[in-house]
């Protein structure tokens, strides 16, 4: 077919100087800039665009925009996208589209036979069958049949989406007559206005008719006003953008398709609007009768829009079927474009005079309805019958324009928890009470008279601006005309077709009038039940053209009114939005940033395997030599610490400086043990609990001077501890004089540990006495080390003599390199967290993530000594006392030695009585090959464990039982002589 | 996403804050409470379908703790003040 | 009850499906029942069914403020699994899965229960440790969780192309829970409602309970509804999210807080993921429904909420996390999203318990309560019938809070 077949010789808002080639189902076609895929297909005479979801019935283009239920296609190649209706896809050069749900083509679909079984497939049929031999026997087939398009096989590059945040006084949704007026009024008042429209062309419905506004054509008026708004400094206009969510506190989410930056595919805005004017227009409804889904059946407004917007003649011989006044203009315009209009079939017994005047010269069959559409892959004609009495006759046509009335687009109003009411006059759900920040205007408010629409837009814009503190905004509402008044009489379903299994209320999901009736018959009478049982309104189009008919049919069936039925919940998004546009550039490190120390590049250069270590830190796990296994590397590193010296990067450990008169009081409140006797330069290990009396964190706190302390926390909990302390101070003890400063990232440290640590430190030229007497365990000194100002702490996490050398972050790498250089004489080895783990397990030191488990208190870990008996109060005291007052036996920390000394126990393996398949009595919290003991050692939590030292317990690892001896939880230097040396 | 009106910084997006749940009676009045009262205080915070007093921390702003009165049904915020002055 | 079968479907097709009977009946609300169940959701309807079926108590009214099956059973992410960590939890959920396995036949209602399995995708040692712990504990109770190589994961889920060696969080391991399933959630409510109705239980929709009522002795006496007072000596509260609102009408405060959880689906596409994929490290899980929609869930919103809204920030992070695993989903579209109010116990473990008011029973604190519907309903019915907990819910009693003996499940945050 040639492209001139259905394209009018002139007119339309397309650019005929820019032809575009595209493909559909492999065939080459041409359209023009300004076309959508749908209009270009219609211009090329293509009416069959795909097959339906359930029955594989032929389907074509029904609507004009995102509401279209019938023409889902898949895009290939660069555009690679899944299920959009052809009506919402702007034509572009090289577009490659395919129909969905049919094979090999929509015209010759091998699954078309499923129509034959339609009588077996009523609503919810799958709940009643497929039970024998079991659902699994049928499910694969059903799944393959379901779904529309395919996910593109390859990942699309994501640099093409960005997210912006914006603020405005007044956000106007929709740039039709009401929206333009609202934006104009608000802008004139001085408000900051954002005007959003899904169409690139401003004007909305004004572009699709022939009315005049302000003495010029409506389309010209819209263009001029948009240009005027564009010239104002306080207006931002987003064209080709959809407002798809309206959330709390004035947050609206907008996605712009093809924003004016060539490298961007789309841009999502999170806009905070103080006031929102919803002028999103209205959507025309389908009419429900038998075979109302034949390609060639189209909404009347869509046919009119194709005519005016794209200069496309969607058929040769048309018939208009309506229950309201609005479709008469379509009939008139079709006739004016040279399309034969066979008749206007109006279900109203007495159409209003204004309507009749519009369509002068066209036969009007009042009180008639269409009962059947004929044809299969293309409409051939319809059967028309009077509503009352006999006299059915067949009328040939290849285009049937339907208008079932108009449904205001209240989605965004409802999303913001606005309530709707059923308006008898317009037979539609219209906004009732809503959030104070939201105004509806125009046909979204249920107004269908153009003059009233313009006025309501101006009023909404003016009020919205005024509520943002911008008075004024008086704009003259232009005179519109001629536009006859809207009048409608509801027709939810043609009476004769009420039980038809081929009268569709939801074209996309193949839901029929009979399905609704069956749902009601079976008890699924609530509107949500109907939706869920029949799937009406759950397709990609979310039932925009059909849901109101469902409500009407349902009301009729259960003998009530649409008002009593109500609607299903309106949920975001208003239209399907690509996940890529929602996530924007957030991927990889932009989604999950990580923290690193100044030494990180050194670690990586020296072969460290980096681990995710909590609080988004990455730390060296171990440093394998070429060809070395994990186990060998860990053993080598551990042995170096026990026998010579190792160094690890302890910078991520949390650090908080605490100042003020009441600093000690805070520390006493936070930790279970006492700190009052601590002298300047001294430190103490402490455990802090939650209010629930469970261990929250541990660490060493040093006293730096009068009313001045440095608290260290575990890496993962640094932020949480700081938060808890601040919360306590500000909310519970606002009168205390304490200042907290988290300083984790200001320090970098190299912790040297091992018998040779002191010799190594001496080689780094410290300017202080580092002998054990002058610088004992658990003390802290400021010094110059390796030429750098440093703060050295004698703490130990490995059980060996250790010096934690802290320097300013900028000196971190220099310190590390000097330590490594000086250490070579002592056979120094960099040590990762794996070896650290081995060493602390040997020593029986606590690791929160392993032993505390969120369920233990200090007594459970054999650390009752750390709970002060004298302090009046500390956080968690009361709860721990209450819990322990029951005398219930608890799980306690013990050492576990497998009888087979080489048998590694999986960490987290359960202990059960006798190793039987029973309720657990504990678990292995950690298990390592001890370099000191030259055997496997483990820690565990065991019910009543301390009383069972010396006994045998059993670890159950699936089908294996491993006998272990219960011991004290320390396998190395139990008296702490080495770390104090 | 809420807009919280920090008394020190002005209107800010929720993403700058940390929510610490419902604010309860200050701890100090509970020192003499019974075990049952303490357990109740600890485990059964207010859960109203309506206005709840919450603690929020302006962690990515001024660092102040705030008391926010927020409706759990509508998310409307009725009052925001600094926690330090809550008991003045 | 009219039997559902292929044969009957065929028979009814011949008569245009005109003689199907209602799945449940509308009956007048009486003034007195043996048991009142508040909440015609999954747990409430299941409890009604088991009361009648197992305990012979069919003089039962199930009251709901809205439509039957309209609570969280209408808005969950349909995942059924038993990969828990604590002795208090695992056997309960194992039982629930096994009840689900038989439920389609038992209720004569195709729930489209589909044991597709769930794969946990693991990116950090901490999560690996938690999941291994679950694996070994679950084995004791006969629930299977088995390690899967990354290569096998890629083979089973070809669309999962993210998390490669060069990515921010490379996948280090995977774990398969083969008995995990998905199921048509509405059908579970409908199937239980139909079966309970058949056993004589009455279901009253649009009947809002305004308050609980106590008798002179302090025991429960009934409820005050929007349609008048209804008496019963036993009342079950199964109203996820709104539990404390109801119990506070008799001065009962419970250790619950109500939060919002968001879920969303994509447009329907041809089969692309045939298991449930869960990634605790990223905080997202996804499965594909029989209709072809991808069903996606993530983390909880902060702050108590009854609004059933969507927090854009939480939602965006979930989408971004999804795309980290499945970069090819960037062009896939969000079709629908929703929020649901659920109540969390102080220790995040469910509460199925008697309370201090005789005759009142509470089932609450369910998050991921869909998977618990059969066992939750069965044990709730037992509790009300015997006034004593079923052995499977001994760990879920309110008594645990009296001495702060919490049951703390960790590492399950993102895997509802």
């Amino acid at each position: 077919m040639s492209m001139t077949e259905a394209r009018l010789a002139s007119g339309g808002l397309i650019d005929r100087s820019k032809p575009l080639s595209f493909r559909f189902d492999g065939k080459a076609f041409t359209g023009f800039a300004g076309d959508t895929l749908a209009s270009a297909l219609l211009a090329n005479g293509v009416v069959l665009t795909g097959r339906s979801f359930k029955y594989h019935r032929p389907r074509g283009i029904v609507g004009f925009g995102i509401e279209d239920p019938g023409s889902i296609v898949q895009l290939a190649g660069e555009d690679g996208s899944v299920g959009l209706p052809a009506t919402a896809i702007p034509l572009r050069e090289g577009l490659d589209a395919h129909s969905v749900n049919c094979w090999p083509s929509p015209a010759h679909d091998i699954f078309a036979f499923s129509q034959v079984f339609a009588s077996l497939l009523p609503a919810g049929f799958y709940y009643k069958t497929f039970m024998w031999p079991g659902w699994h026997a049928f499910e694969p087939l059903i799944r393959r049949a379901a779904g529309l398009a395919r996910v593109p096989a390859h990942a699309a590059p994501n640099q093409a989406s960005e997210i912006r945040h914006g603020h405005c006084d007044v956000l106007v949704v929709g740039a039709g007559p009401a929206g333009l007026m609202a934006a104009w009024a608000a802008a004139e008042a001085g408000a900051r206005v954002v005007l959003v429209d899904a169409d690139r062309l401003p004007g909305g419905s004004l572009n699709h008719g022939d009315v005049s506004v302000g003495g010029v054509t409506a389309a010209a008026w819209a263009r001029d006003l948009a240009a005027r708004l564009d010239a104002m400094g306080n207006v931002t206009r987003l064209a080709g953008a959809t407002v798809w969510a309206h959330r709390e506190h004035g947050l609206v989410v907008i996605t712009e398709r093809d924003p004016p930056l060539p490298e961007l595919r789309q841009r999502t805005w999170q806009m905070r609007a103080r006031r929102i004017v919803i002028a999103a227009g209205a959507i025309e409804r389908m009419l429900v009768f038998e075979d109302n889904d034949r390609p060639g059946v189209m909404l009347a407004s869509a046919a009119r829009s194709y005519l005016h917007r794209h200069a496309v003649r969607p058929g040769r011989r048309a018939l208009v079927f309506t229950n309201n006044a609005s479709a008469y203009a379509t009939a008139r315009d079709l006739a004016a474009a040279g399309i034969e209009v066979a008749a206007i079939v109006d279900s109203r017994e007495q159409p209003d005079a204004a309507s009749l005047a519009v369509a002068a010269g066209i036969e009007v069959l009042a009180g008639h309805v269409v009962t059947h559409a004929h044809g299969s892959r293309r409409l051939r004609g319809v059967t028309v019958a009077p509503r009352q009495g006999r006299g059915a006759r067949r009328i040939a046509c290849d285009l049937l324009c339907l208008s079932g009335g108009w449904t205001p687009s209240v989605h965004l109003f409802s999303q913001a928890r606005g309530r709707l009411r059923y308006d008898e006059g317009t037979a539609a759900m219209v906004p009732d009470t809503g959030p104070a920040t939201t105004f509806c205007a125009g046909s979204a408010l249920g107004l269908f008279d153009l003059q009233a629409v313009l006025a309501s837009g101006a009023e909404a814009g003016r009020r919205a601006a005024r509520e943002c503190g911008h008075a004024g905004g008086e704009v003259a509402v232009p005179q519109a005309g001629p536009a006859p008044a809207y009048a409608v009489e509801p027709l939810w379903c043609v009476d004769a077709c009420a039980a038809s299994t081929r009268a569709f209320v939801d074209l996309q999901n193949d839901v029929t009038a009979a399905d609704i009736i069956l749902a009601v018959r079976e008890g699924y009478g609530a509107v949500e039940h109907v939706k869920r049982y029949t799937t009406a309104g759950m397709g990609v189009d979310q039932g925009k053209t059909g849901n109101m008919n469902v409500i009407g049919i349902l009301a009729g069936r259960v003998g009530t009114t649409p008002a009593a039925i109500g609607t299903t919940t309106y949920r975001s998004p208003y239209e399907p939005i690509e996940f890529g546009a929602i996530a924007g550039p957030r991927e990889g490190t932009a989604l999950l940033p990580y923290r690193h120390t100044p030494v990180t590049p050194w670690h990586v250069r020296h072969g460290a395997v980096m681990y995710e270590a909590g609080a988004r830190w990455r730390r060296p796990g171990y440093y394998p030599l070429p060809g070395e296994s994990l186990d060998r590397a860990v053993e080598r590193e551990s042995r170096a610490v026990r026998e010579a010296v190792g160094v690890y990067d302890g910078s991520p450990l949390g650090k908080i400086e605490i100042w003020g008169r009441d600093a000690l009081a805070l520390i006493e409140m936070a930790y279970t043990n006492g700190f009052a006797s601590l002298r300047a330069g001294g430190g103490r290990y402490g455990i802090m609990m939650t209010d629930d009396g469970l261990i929250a964190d541990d660490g060493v706190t040093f006293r730096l001077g009068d009313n001045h302390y440095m608290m260290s926390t575990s890496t993962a909990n640094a932020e949480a501890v700081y938060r808890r302390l601040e919360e306590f101070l500000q909310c519970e003890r606002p009168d205390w004089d304490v200042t907290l400063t988290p300083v984790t990232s200001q320090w970098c440290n190299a912790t040297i540990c091992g018998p040779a640590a002191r010799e190594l430190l001496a080689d780094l030229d410290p300017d202080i006495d580092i002998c054990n007497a002058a610088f004992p365990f658990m003390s802290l000194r400021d010094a110059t080390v390796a030429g750098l100002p440093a703060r050295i702490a004698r703490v130990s996490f490995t059980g060996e003599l250790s010096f934690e050398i802290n320097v300013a972050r900028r000196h971190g790498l220099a310190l590390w390199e000097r330590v490594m250089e000086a250490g070579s004489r002592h056979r120094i080895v960099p040590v990762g967290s794996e070896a650290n783990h081995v060493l602390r397990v040997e020593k029986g030191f606590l690791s929160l993530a392993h032993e505390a488990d969120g369920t233990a208190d200090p007594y459970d870990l054999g650390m009752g000594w750390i709970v002060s008996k004298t302090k009046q109060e500390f956080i968690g005291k009361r709860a721990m006392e209450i819990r322990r007052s029951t005398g219930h036996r608890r799980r306690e920390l013990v050492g576990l030695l497998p009888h087979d000394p080489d048998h590694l126990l999986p960490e987290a393996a359960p202990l059960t009585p006798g190793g039987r398949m029973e309720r657990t009595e504990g678990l292995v919290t950690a298990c390592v090959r001890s370099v000191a003991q030259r055997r496997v050692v483990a820690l565990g939590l065991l019910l009543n464990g301390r009383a069972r030292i010396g006994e045998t317990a059993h670890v159950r690892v699936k089908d294996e039982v491993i006998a272990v001896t219960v011991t004290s939880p320390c396998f190395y230097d139990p008296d702490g002589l080495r770390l104090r040396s | 996403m809420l807009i919280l009106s920090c008394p020190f910084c002005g209107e800010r997006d929720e993403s700058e804050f940390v929510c610490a749940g419902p604010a309860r009676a200050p701890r100090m009045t509970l020192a003499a409470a019974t075990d049952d009262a303490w357990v109740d205080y600890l485990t059964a915070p207010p859960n109203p379908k309506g206005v709840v007093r919450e603690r929020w921390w302006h962690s990515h702003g001024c660092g102040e703790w705030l008391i926010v009165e927020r409706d759990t049904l509508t998310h409307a915020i009725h009052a925001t003040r600094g926690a330090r002055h809550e008991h003045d | 009850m009219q039997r559902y079968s292929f044969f009957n479907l065929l028979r009814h097709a011949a008569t245009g499906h005109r003689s199907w009977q209602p799945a449940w009946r509308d009956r007048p609300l009486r003034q007195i029942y043996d048991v009142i169940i508040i909440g015609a959701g999954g747990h409430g309807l299941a409890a009604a069914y088991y009361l009648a079926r197992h305990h012979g108590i069919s003089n039962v009214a199930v009251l709901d403020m809205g439509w039957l099956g309209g609570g969280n059973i209408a808005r969950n992410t349909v995942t059924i699994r038993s990969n828990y960590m604590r002795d208090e939890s695992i056997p309960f959920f194992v039982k629930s899965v096994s009840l689900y396995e038989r439920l389609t036949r038992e209720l004569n209602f195709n729930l489209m229960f589909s044991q597709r399995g769930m794969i946990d995708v693991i990116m950090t040692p901490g999560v690996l440790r938690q999941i291994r712990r679950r694996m070994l504990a679950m084995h004791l109770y006969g629930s299977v969780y088995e390690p899967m190589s990354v290569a096998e994961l890629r083979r089973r889920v070809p669309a999962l192309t993210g998390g490669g060696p060069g990515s921010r969080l490379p996948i280090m391991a995977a774990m398969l829970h083969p008995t995990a399933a998905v199921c048509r959630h509405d059908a579970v409510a409908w199937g239980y409602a139909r079966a309970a109705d058949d056993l004589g239980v009455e279901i009253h929709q649009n009947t809002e309970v305004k308050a609980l009522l106590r008798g002179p002795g302090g025991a429960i006496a009934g409820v005050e509804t929007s349609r008048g007072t209804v008496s019963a000596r036993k009342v079950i509260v199964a109203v996820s999210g709104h539990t404390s609102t109801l119990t506070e009408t008799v001065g009962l405060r419970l250790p619950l807080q109500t939060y919002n959880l968001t879920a969303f689906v994509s447009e329907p596409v041809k089969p692309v993921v045939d298991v449930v994929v869960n990634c605790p490290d990223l905080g997202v899980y996804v499965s594909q429904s029989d209709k072809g929609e991808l069903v996606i869930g993530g983390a909880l919103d902060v702050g108590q909420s009854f609004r059933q809204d969507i927090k854009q920030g939480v939602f965006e992070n979930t989408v971004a996390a999804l795309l980290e695993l499945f970069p090819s989903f960037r062009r896939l579209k969000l079709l629908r999203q929703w929020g649901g109010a659920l109540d969390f116990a102080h220790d995040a473990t469910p509460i199925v318990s008697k309370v201090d008011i005789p005759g009142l029973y509470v089932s609450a604190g369910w998050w991921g309560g869909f998977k618990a519907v059969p066992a939750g309903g069965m044990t709730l019915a037992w509790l009300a019938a015997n006034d004593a907990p079923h052995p499977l819910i001994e760990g879920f009693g309110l008594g645990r809070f009296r001495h702060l003996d919490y049951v703390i499940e960790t590492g399950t945050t993102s895997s509802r």
Side-chain angles (χ1 to χ4, degrees), chain B residues 1-2 14 19 21-22 36 38-40 42-50 52 54 56 70 72-75, chain C residues 241-242 244-245 248 253-258 302-307 309 311-314 346 401-402 404 406:
Chain B
M1 302 294 280
L2 308 171
E14 179 184 335
C19 177
D36 282 351
W38 174 254
V39 167
D40 193 48
L42 188 65
T43 64
N47 191 32
K49 200 183 286 185
V52 64
E54 284 177 326
W56 287 77
R70 184 176 65 90
T72 59
L73 200 54
T74 64
H75 292 187
Chain C
H242 306 279
S244 28
T245 310
E248 279 172 20
R253 286 182 66 202
L254 292 174
L256 294 169
Q257 286 190 72
T258 301
V302 295
Q304 287 150 293
S305 176
F306 291 85
R307 192 169 190 248
D309 200 356
K311 281 269 191 239
Q312 184 70 12
V314 177
H346 183 64
F401 295 101
R402 192 157 296 143
L404 309 177
Y406 303 143

Side-chain angles (χ1 to χ4, degrees), chain A residues 310-518:
Chain A
H310 302 293
V312 169
R313 198 165 30 205
R316 292 157 192 263
R317 183 175 156 85
L319 187 112
V320 174
F321 178 24
T322 185
N323 65 349
N324 70 85
S326 71
Y328 282 76
T330 298
R332 177 200 57 200
D333 293 358
L334 289 171
I339 298 166
E340 187 185 347
V341 180
I344 297 172
V345 176
D346 194 328
S347 62
R348 298 176 293 170
E349 296 292 345
Q350 289 181 320
D352 56 298
S355 293
L356 295 173
V358 167
I362 300 173
E363 183 187 8
V364 174
L365 297 170
H368 278 62
V369 291
V370 173
T371 57
H372 293 85
H374 304 286
S376 163
R377 290 172 213 155
R378 162 108 229 201
L379 181 72
R380 304 265 172 240
V382 297
T383 297
V384 173
R387 289 187 80 171
Q388 315 287 339
R390 291 159 168 275
R393 60 176 158 132
R394 185 165 167 155
I395 300 175
C397 60
D398 65 350
L399 173 66
L400 173 59
C401 300
L402 302 183
S403 182
W406 291 81
T407 304
S409 289
V410 296
H411 306 70
L412 296 169
F413 176 78
S414 290
Q415 280 182 30
R417 305 295 183 267
R419 287 175 186 281
L420 305 176
R421 67 178 169 83
Y422 179 72
D423 180 59
E424 294 279 353
T426 52
M429 297 287 180
V430 298
D432 190 13
T433 54
T437 53
T438 302
F439 305 95
C440 292
S443 47
L445 186 59
L447 302 174
F448 297 100
D449 169 64
L450 183 55
Q451 196 65 49
V453 164
L454 291 164
S456 82
E459 171 63 11
R462 194 180 58 77
R463 279 184 56 196
R466 192 179 62 209
E467 292 187 11
C468 298
H470 300 281
E474 303 295 341
V475 292
V477 178
Q479 200 59 44
Y486 178 65
V488 62
E489 286 174 18
L491 179 68
W492 309 119
C493 179
V494 169
D495 300 336
C497 310
S500 168
T501 56
R502 299 202 319 265
F504 290 88
V505 291
D506 179 338
L507 264 65
Q508 194 167 101
N509 277 352
D510 276 349
V511 182
T512 66
D515 289 331
I516 308 294
I517 286 163
L518 179 62

Side-chain angles (χ1 to χ4, degrees), chain A residues 420 422 429 527-528 547-548 551 554 561-568:
Chain A
L420 305 176
Y422 179 72
M429 297 287 180
V527 67
E528 285 280 358
N547 282 353
M548 193 60 220
I551 293 168
L554 178 57
T561 60
I565 295 290
T567 64
T568 56

Side-chain angles (χ1 to χ4, degrees), chain A residues 859-925:
Chain A
Y859 289 100
D860 298 334
L861 303 186
M863 298 172 79
W865 52 268
I866 209 166
V867 180
S868 166
K869 313 294 180 292
T870 54
K871 282 203 284 188
Q872 284 280 316
E873 196 181 355
F874 53 85
I875 292 171
K877 181 175 196 277
R878 187 68 177 272
M880 183 173 64
E881 285 169 1
I882 292 171
R883 185 177 296 115
R884 299 197 78 83
S885 71
T886 62
H888 291 163
R889 292 187 308 162
R890 295 183 53 82
R891 293 181 175 190
E892 294 168 340
L893 184 68
V894 291
L896 302 171
L897 294 176
H899 290 178
D900 172 357
D902 291 323
H903 201 316
L904 269 174
L905 309 172
E907 287 191 359
L911 288 143
T912 67
R916 293 184 296 274
M917 296 280 275
E918 281 180 18
R919 187 181 175 88
T920 66
E921 57 173 357
L923 80 155
V924 177
T925 60

